[in-house]
Amino acid sequence: MSASPAYSEEKGGSSSLGEPEYGHDPASGGIFSSDYKRHDDLKEMLDSNKDSLKLEAMKRIVAMIARGKNASDLFPAVVKNVACKNIEVKKLVYVYLVRYAEEQQDLALLSISTFQRGLKDPNQLIRASALRVLSSIRVPIIVPIMMLAIKEAASDMSPYVRKTAAHAIPKLYSLDSDQKDQLIEVIEKLLADKTTLVAGSVVMAFEEVCPERIDLIHKNYRKLCNLLIDVEEWGQVVIINMLTRYARTQFLSPNQNESLLEENPEKAFYGSDEEDSKDDKPDAASLVKRKPYVMDPDHRLLLRNTKPLLQSRNAAVVMAVAQLYFHLAPKAEVGVIAKALVRLLRSHSEVQWVVLQNVATMSIKRRGMFEPYLKSFYIRSTDPTQIKILKLEVLTNLANETNISTILREFQTYIRSMDKDFVAATIQAIGRCATNIGKVRDTCLNGLVQLLSNRDELVVAESVVVIKKLLQMQPSQHSEIIKHMAKLTDNIQVPMARASILWLIGEYCEHVPKIAPDVLRKMSKSFTGEEDIVKLQVINLAAKLYLTNSKQSKLLTQYVLNLAKYDQNYDIRDRARFIRQLIVPTEKSGALNKYAKKLFLAQKPAPILESSFKDRDHFQLGSLSHLLNAKAVGYQELPDWPDEAPDPSVRNVEVPEWTKCTSREKRKEKVEKPFYSDSEGESGPTESADSGAGPGRLCAGQQGGTAQPWQSFHGWRQVKKGKKKPPQDEGKGGSESSWEEGSVSESSSSESDSGSEAEESQSEPESKRRTTSWLSPVLNPLFPTCLCLTVTPVPPQPASSPAVVSTSLVTDLEGLTLTNASLAPTMLSPVFSTMKTYELLHRMAGEGLSVEYYFNRQPFPPDPHMVAVQIQFSNNTESEVKNLRVSEPKLVSGMRIQEFQEIESLAPGDTASVIMGIDFCDSTQAANFQLCTHSRQFYVSIQPPVGELMAPVFMSENEFKKEQSKLTGMSEITEKLTLLDKCQSDHTIVQRVTAAANVSRVPCGADNEYRFAAKTVTSGSLILITLEQKEAARAHLTVNSEKMVIGTMLVQDISQALAQ
Amino acid sequence: MIHSLFLINSSGDIFLEKHWKSVVSRSVCDYFFEAQERATEAENVPPVIPTPHHYLLNVYRHKIFFVAVIQTEVPPLFVIEFLHRVVDTFQDYFGVCSEVVIKDNVVVVYEVLEEMLDNGFPLATESNILKELIKPPTILRTVVNTITGSTNVGDQLPTGQLSVVPWRRTGVKYTNNEAYFDVIEEIDAIIDKSGSTITAEIQGVIDACVKLTGMPDLTLSFMNPRLLDDVSFHPCVRFKRWESERILSFIPPDGNFRLLSYHVSAQNLVAIPVYVKQNISFRDSSSLGRFEITVGPKQTMGKTVEGVMVTSQMPKGVLNMSLTPSQGMHTFDPVTKLLSWDVGKINPQKLPNLKGTMSLQAGTSKPDENPTINLQFKIQQLAISGLKVNRLDMYGEKYKPFKGIKYMTKAGKFQVRT
């Protein structure tokens, strides 16, 4: 109620009795006969000033629309109510408007201003719904208005409005395709959006408007991969399908080395009787592993991030992932999808139907994948026929020498089914098994011959047809069967079967020289009563016998041809005339006569029985086109793998945004624009609370729109924390909870090492959640390997570390980092800090070499004016990295670097840690330099947070006060802030301040005041921090320092640390 | 994506249409009717029907065809899955999904459909959000609405769509906080003539009914999670946690939902709780056949098998059957040739048995197919796979919820071949 008082106005007033004569059942059809007087009633009701009457009228009108009745003549009366206060009336008017606006364009324009007003509403939901309806009105004249509205909404601060904007894009495009270029611009902008809410919708718009602009995806590729798991399910489907296409154009085939190998067994398999052909398959698979194919890390990223979605409850998502794996994954990995697909077979029969079609296609190419699930394709008598036939198809595709006996046994039961279409399909399937698997050919043939004595004619007929095909492959050995079939002509009535038998006897009359003429004799007797196809075959048989055994059959042939000559069917008459001319030599007969034998008794190729699903995989699986085996409108061809990979660096731009790496790009971004100004920058604090969804929320509130470069740095780091989520959070929770989740699982890995403290921390879930969620971005580096490596050698941390929150999990992990640092010889005094790690070089950018750094807060002995930076290398490549060193520092004047000693070599999987000193000259400018290995150079940069530019100073309360009094006026910066509940306690405050800046605490008499002191490293200027707690969670933060810039930034940093 | 939706009843009336883009004439359904005629049975209508300008994708549920019209390439499962979601939503809203109910609530249906798709692309499909947007009609609300003239449309704009847990509505309040979980397992099996198992697998689901105040964060752990071979989750479940610890951790939606479904594969030995002994024989010469079935318990872990129901489709040649059951009721429909026998409970001391003769069409030879027997049964308090919930914990809220877990085993597609 409270959220929209505007809507609840008037509602009370209209609450009186609804007019009973209008009835209560809006759906009852009777009153909606094309009697226009009724519509007059409705108009009257719409014109009344009672909301209840309007509502009643609208309900009836909507009911009319729902039943497909025309209600367009009410348009003027309805459109008047577009600004009605009652929300349900309003909604129903929208429904009506969207349905009829196209037909009544002029009148529809009346409503536009209402929506335009709505677009400016402070409530994001109203803005969104106004845009939604506005864009759904298909009136070409408002295209410019729509365009404007979409553009505006695309940079709205609420992700929900932006999502609606994405939805509106295809609507506008279908209304006026000339807007394409402008719309692509909007799409490009929205593709850069970082919220999960928008991702699915904008990719859908991309697919509808400009699927060919694959270049727009490059920069967003990694983001999309990482966001994927948190996108809503329908968006997931669209994104996965699009990424499949993308990957096909950008990466190399993971199976390329193998495609040659694959070709041969396939050929042998279908073409000849070679039986050993299938044994090649596993060999081929194992070959892959041996071949040195290096997969693009982005390719791997896609495969890795989509895999968990196989567990989705949504069949469409599972299918989308399955097709992605089928088209993109290395052969050895495709297998994982089988289980999920088999699971879908339990779903509704429509889902089964679609899945089985896809499984049928897959099982031709990758048989091994479904073999373990053979029994899941067994057929139940209750399955619908169309499902049965598809399952049969799959079973046939899966048949090989090892399982054929089981399959055949299963087929035997199917043959006795009551569903005759299904039985016929089974017999066909047996035929296919027999052609494909030489070993069982005889068994199958015998089985089919037995079926010839089946009582059901359909079964017999189908068997005859299949046997005919089988015999054609090796006729000589089976004259017995031909004889048997010849006998059947007496009983069997199905024309197709009779025709097949006659053809067989004719074709192989040499194998049954005695029987053939006799069959012809019998058939000539019944000739007149036969079906046409049988008659044709009788003529055929007669002709063949005449050519091979004219002595015995000459007269019979003449007789049959005579009968045919007077047949009612002209085809048959025609055929008879033709054959007579061809085979009976007369003086008039032409040159063809000589070739008669060749014409009739030529070697005929054996028919190939193969699946109708063969080669369907050139359509993208899971698509409509694949299902129909024909190109559907709007189908995007799945491109072939490129022969050479396009430049992978096009996707690189995104690296600094997705990792903690501080590289040149960050600096560039910082200088060019205030971080993320495009999408998130403007969002003021006003709506931040409800505008955030997922990671977006974190960025929304904190940037305040200021654009000074130094401030942007803090914002940037803030964003990083939010952004950090997707890569590690594979779970489906929201942002906060999933952080927690991530860190909890981390903690469990460290638990074993840090013993009892960890257990303590378990006992306080409440506080743990608070602290870990705050800390987790720090504790979740992208390289779990590194973390493990630092963890393992560490002895339990002594409980003595100062100023530490004892029960918190933080301790353990910080302790770990600390003690790890103690392995370095330079450690002098342990100062409490949360060693936040930053990334210097991402594993991907560094081609396997990853580098992280943190400020260890130790003095740097060679030069006290330098800040010590602990750098940690880890080698994730397969080979040794040699000669790691720093070169070509490009520094701002005054800045100096003390390089670390060259690391001669780093074995694969190893890590190494060094310390270097940097004199930042008390500024937050980044130190840029090159990191060289024996083979490559990487441009990197280290940018210090302001809190690291200082070293703690110990002083007494009096000294502090004295110094403070000297630093007033311009040198004093004060800010008021509100402390959060969780941030009230002493140790949290101290901990957070010391985490944000390298300062030490100064003892203090008053218990609502905290003091800290430090000196800048280079110039040694004092920095004094005072935090005064006031009543009701308010506080004053004061920083005194003659370095004003540092002071201001420090205030920012600390208040941010406290606000979290 | 989805252009239009038509709802068609079994007699071929289009009783509801909804368009999300330009209007598609209902005559497009003629292609559907053609396909329906060709298929003879409703379940054999192909789910995808191509027409010259459109594609019709349909699902058949509750004797209603939901026919979606699409114009361009779209993954067919996307549409089919969505249509099923529509049906589920209707069921959730109205209790049942039938033609009568849809017609009665046509306005609500229309409003819901309007919210579910925007320009043919799914917008809000989570029932929790939809219910916030459009309140489901209850008897009480209908009465109140007629008196006061208030509406079904939520007067508070929903914020759930914007939250980080889009499946849960905000501001949930209950006086009794309860969370119930039903572990339901279904056995799919094919048993051959001799009683040996050809294939058997267990499909399980955990359905939850959670009525908890606020934003509870639940964890559910199992005694033997390794049993679960293949699982699929409600989007609320944190996958990472499951991967690493085999614990289900989630913020539940409000109300009823399916937490997970799982599969216990054929590789594990599946206990078959009942057996069927049958003797069905036709003789060539006479027009009488013998029929006898006995059902008995096999591996039931000491629990009673109840709700037993035997159905069998008899061959066409069977004219009538005269049978006597030792317990329960039986019927035989001479038109559809469907025999069904409602057995009830199985008493191990006195096994239920159905015995008698079949009269066959005179003059024709004996049918060469044997009927398969389909079995339904229920076993309470037992998850046949042996799955057991270890514990359920709640974080994030202060109160103590009432927790309940129930187990049940049912027959899924359980067939005995004869």
Side-chain angles (χ1 to χ4, degrees), chain A residues 299-492:
Chain A
H299 190 173
R300 173 54 64 202
L301 177 75
L302 178 62
L303 292 175
R304 194 177 50 226
N305 283 6
T306 46
K307 197 175 167 190
L309 295 177
L310 283 172
Q311 247 72 49
S312 172
R313 64 167 172 174
N314 188 318
V317 176
V318 177
M319 189 68 234
V321 179
Q323 65 84 21
L324 182 134
Y325 261 76
F326 183 78
H327 289 301
L328 300 181
K331 209 172 176 184
E333 292 171 41
V334 181
V336 297
I337 64 176
K339 198 188 263 184
L341 287 176
V342 168
R343 184 184 72 229
L344 294 186
L345 295 181
R346 268 286 291 187
S347 190
H348 301 288
S349 79
E350 295 88 3
V351 176
Q352 266 188 60
W353 188 75
V354 176
V355 172
L356 280 170
Q357 302 239 4
N358 286 293
V359 169
T361 306
M362 292 183 194
S363 58
I364 289 174
K365 202 122 186 232
R366 306 245 193 277
R367 168 148 26 104
M369 186 164 107
F370 290 101
E371 256 177 42
Y373 305 99
L374 184 72
K375 286 186 172 177
S376 303
F377 297 101
Y378 279 8
I379 293 154
R380 292 160 207 282
S381 60
T382 41
D383 287 332
T385 311
Q386 51 184 356
I387 299 289
K388 284 182 185 161
I389 288 172
L390 284 171
K391 280 188 175 172
L392 206 55
E393 175 73 38
V394 175
L395 285 175
T396 318
N397 289 342
L398 293 183
N400 63 16
E401 270 145 68
T402 42
N403 59 22
I404 184 68
S405 55
T406 348
I407 291 183
L408 282 181
R409 209 175 315 129
E410 190 63 17
F411 281 177
Q412 274 169 15
T413 22
Y414 300 163
I415 282 168
R416 301 212 320 257
S417 163
M418 288 174 222
D419 185 342
K420 291 304 165 206
D421 291 337
F422 169 53
V423 174
T426 310
I427 294 168
Q428 292 280 2
I430 295 175
R432 260 180 61 202
C433 289
T435 32
N436 294 347
I437 300 164
K439 198 177 81 177
V440 293
R441 192 166 299 152
D442 291 342
T443 331
C444 289
L445 209 48
N446 286 335
L448 289 170
V449 170
Q450 273 169 33
L451 283 180
L452 292 177
S453 48
N454 193 294
R455 230 176 320 252
D456 193 284
E457 247 190 20
L458 270 171
V459 175
V460 180
E462 200 67 39
S463 315
V464 169
V465 176
V466 173
I467 290 173
K468 181 198 116 188
K469 287 180 183 164
L470 287 181
L471 286 187
Q472 228 176 320
M473 300 175 90
Q474 37 182 184
S476 51
Q477 306 157 21
H478 294 295
S479 53
E480 276 308 307
I481 295 175
I482 299 177
K483 274 179 207 158
H484 180 83
M485 290 173 78
K487 283 179 204 149
L488 283 172
T489 45
D490 296 341
N491 307 319
I492 200 162

Side-chain angles (χ1 to χ4, degrees), chain A residues 88 132 346 416 625 741, chain B residues 73 114 151 188 238 369:
Chain A
E88 188 166 17
R132 197 179 149 198
R346 268 286 291 187
R416 301 212 320 257
S625 304
E741 172 192 331
Chain B
E73 167 68 45
E114 181 75 23
T151 65
D188 287 357
R238 294 177 185 121
E369 69 261 355

Side-chain angles (χ1 to χ4, degrees), chain B residues 254-267:
Chain B
D254 185 43
N256 294 312
F257 66 99
R258 175 154 297 173
L259 179 64
L260 100 157
S261 41
Y262 59 90
H263 180 102
V264 178
S265 73
Q267 272 86 341

Side-chain angles (χ1 to χ4, degrees), chain B residues 130-193:
Chain B
L130 282 170
K131 281 185 174 168
E132 250 185 299
L133 286 163
I134 296 135
K135 298 205 174 100
T138 58
I139 295 174
L140 181 68
R141 195 168 292 134
T142 319
V143 173
V144 171
N145 285 357
T146 34
I147 297 168
T148 63
S150 59
T151 65
N152 284 328
V153 173
D155 44 13
Q156 216 161 353
L157 289 162
T159 46
Q161 257 166 318
L162 311 168
S163 79
V164 284
V165 276
W167 54 85
R168 185 170 179 90
R169 62 191 178 94
T170 44
V172 184
K173 263 209 155 73
Y174 288 102
T175 41
N176 295 324
N177 289 296
E178 355 173 76
Y180 297 104
F181 293 87
D182 292 357
V183 181
I184 302 167
E185 297 195 334
E186 294 193 356
I187 306 173
D188 287 357
I190 302 177
I191 311 286
D192 79 357
K193 205 176 198 157

Side-chain angles (χ1 to χ4, degrees), chain A residues 998-1015:
Chain A
N998 190 10
V999 293
S1000 67
R1001 193 169 175 193
V1002 175
C1004 175
D1007 60 7
N1008 57 350
E1009 217 175 297
Y1010 305 89
R1011 290 179 185 150
F1012 307 89
K1015 260 182 188 169

Side-chain angles (χ1 to χ4, degrees), chain A residues 109 188 195 211 231 259 295 307 382 436 460 467 501-502 543 561 645 762 792 842 845 853 862 1018:
Chain A
L109 293 178
E188 196 173 358
T195 51
V231 174
S259 47
M295 187 185 273
K307 197 175 167 190
T382 41
N436 294 347
V460 180
I467 290 173
I501 296 174
L502 290 175
L561 287 176
Q762 295 275 335
T792 34
H842 185 256
Y853 67 93
T1018 312

